[in-house]
Amino acid sequence: VQLVESGGGSVQPGESLTLSCTAFGVTGSRVCMGWFRQAPGKEIEGVAAVYRGGGDPYYANSVKGRFTVSQDNAKDTVYLQIDNLKPEDTAMYYCAAAGWVRAWLDQRDYIHWGQGTQVTVS
């Protein structure tokens, strides 16, 4: 199993980025793909999640309205679009995979993690 993120970078406030996460070898009848981020010196924070194959995504209150999750099932890829980027969005962004989750953004439910992609807003 491997999750590979891409799409991070250094941007200015107000710009947008789309992060990608491609899952290799993640199987199961029910797979939840989550996006998490960790800013320097802070705890990891869940920002969004979606069950693979359909259903409405779930967003943390802190990112609603600016973050959008989408997926391309044919490519086993989940995307996280971030609009109107702010300096406080600066963090390493990780995607993760779980089966059924007790809570959408409880990191303890997520078994597989990617290596992360850095987003810097300044």
Side-chain angles (χ1 to χ4, degrees):
V1 175
Q2 189 177 16
L3 302 178
V4 180
E5 302 102 329
S6 62
S10 296
V11 297
Q12 295 184 347
E15 294 184 343
S16 297
L17 275 178
T18 298
L19 310 182
S20 301
C21 172
T22 300
F24 297 93
V26 177
T27 60
S29 60
R30 197 71 167 159
V31 175
C32 187
M33 300 297 296
W35 282 98
F36 296 80
R37 65 182 179 184
Q38 188 168 27
K42 295 188 176 181
E43 294 186 355
I44 196 165
E45 174 192 19
V47 295
V50 66
Y51 276 102
R52 191 167 66 179
D56 293 332
Y58 178 87
Y59 299 97
N61 288 333
S62 59
V63 305
K64 279 182 181 177
R66 294 194 302 119
F67 286 35
T68 304
V69 172
S70 61
Q71 54 185 318
D72 184 334
N73 296 319
K75 297 180 179 180
D76 285 331
T77 298
V78 177
Y79 304 95
L80 180 68
Q81 179 179 329
I82 310 173
D83 296 319
N84 189 22
L85 277 153
K86 304 176 180 181
E88 51 264 41
D89 294 320
T90 295
M92 184 71 80
Y93 284 73
Y94 299 92
C95 74
W100 285 97
V101 295
R102 295 166 294 180
W104 281 98
L105 298 176
D106 187 338
Q107 59 176 304
R108 295 171 296 179
D109 286 334
Y110 289 82
I111 301 170
H112 306 294
W113 291 77
Q115 81 289 349
T117 185
Q118 178 69 39
V119 173
T120 302
V121 186
S122 63

